[in-house]
Amino acid sequence: MGLMKVFSGSEILALALQEKIEAAGVETSIKNNIQSARLAGFGNSDLAVEVFIQETDFAKANPVIEEFRMSI
């Protein structure tokens, strides 16, 4: 299976969610488009940081993701 995007938003929120998901035992990947845009000389976007998990881990991570979304 492949990667599944579970969040896109600010860097602070993405890192907070990453920490919660990894505490539940699910590995995550972060794609930081802010850094990429800065290096390329473009502006940045508020929704430029994305959190990904493996599709097979979705059932395990979904309760954590939903709780996080309800808290923001």
Side-chain angles (χ1 to χ4, degrees):
M1 293 277 168
L3 290 176
M4 164 187 246
K5 181 169 62 171
V6 295
F7 179 81
S8 63
S10 72
E11 186 172 17
I12 293 171
L13 291 176
L15 292 173
L17 178 59
Q18 179 187 31
E19 185 177 312
K20 290 179 181 290
I21 293 173
E22 288 183 351
V26 176
E27 289 189 36
T28 63
S29 296
I30 292 269
K31 181 178 179 188
N32 189 335
N33 292 319
I34 294 171
Q35 295 298 332
S36 298
R38 188 175 308 145
L39 291 173
F42 302 116
N44 60 6
S45 170
D46 290 342
L47 303 177
V49 180
E50 301 169 332
V51 179
F52 293 87
I53 63 169
Q54 289 292 329
E55 290 177 358
T56 54
D57 291 331
F58 181 73
K60 188 174 182 180
N62 191 46
V64 175
I65 296 164
E66 290 303 315
E67 179 182 335
F68 181 79
R69 287 188 176 157
M70 296 301 288
S71 71
I72 56 173

